[in-house]
Amino acid sequence: MNESISIWRFVLSVLALWRVTHLLAEEDGPWELIASLRSKLGPGFAGKLMDCFYCLSLWFSLPLAIWLGNKSWVGTLLQWQALSGAACLLEKATQRPDATFYPIQTFPGDEPCAVVTKETK
């Protein structure tokens, strides 16, 4: 197979893998179908799997690695990890940082005034 076609297949596979994995792990889906499926799966193995992007990317990248068709089993294993790793990097790159909220400290008699403090532990 032509090398440039192989690279494009890999890139498109990574994008598809990220999209499907993100849909199942992070979104409610159209008409909340994914959220409904997630709640029906419950707290068991499959339910916990649906909550973890990184776990799902490993499971979904295996068939893609086989489909990309490396001739050796070592190449397939490497491609499996590379697909999952690339999807994980995309997930990290597209995550919004969590907003940090600091507790508000009020003083007796000065309830309208407040001081924002950073807690240290």
Side-chain angles (χ1 to χ4, degrees):
M1 182 187 306
N2 189 349
E3 190 69 27
S4 65
I5 292 173
S6 179
I7 291 170
W8 278 110
R9 283 177 69 179
F10 181 83
V11 169
L12 291 175
S13 295
V14 167
L15 291 172
L17 173 65
W18 177 82
R19 182 64 196 114
V20 169
T21 306
H22 192 271
L23 172 68
L24 293 175
E26 305 294 334
E27 300 173 23
D28 291 341
W31 306 289
E32 297 189 12
L33 290 173
I34 305 299
S36 174
L37 172 66
R38 199 177 292 118
S39 68
K40 286 179 184 171
L41 290 174
F45 173 76
K48 289 179 183 176
L49 183 66
M50 290 284 287
D51 289 336
C52 179
F53 179 91
Y54 305 106
C55 300
L56 276 177
S57 74
L58 271 175
W59 286 99
F60 286 133
S61 62
L62 181 58
L64 283 174
I66 294 169
W67 174 73
L68 286 172
N70 200 314
K71 303 255 189 257
S72 70
W73 65 271
V74 173
T76 301
L77 287 176
L78 286 173
Q79 209 149 33
W80 175 30
Q81 298 304 305
L83 285 165
S84 177
C88 291
L89 287 174
L90 271 176
E91 179 65 12
K92 285 284 191 183
T94 58
Q95 279 181 339
R96 293 184 183 154
D98 291 335
T100 304
F101 295 103
Y102 299 111
I104 296 177
Q105 178 182 4
T106 58
F107 299 101
D110 277 341
E111 277 74 26
C113 297
V115 176
V116 177
T117 61
K118 183 175 181 179
E119 256 184 6
T120 56
K121 290 185 180 182

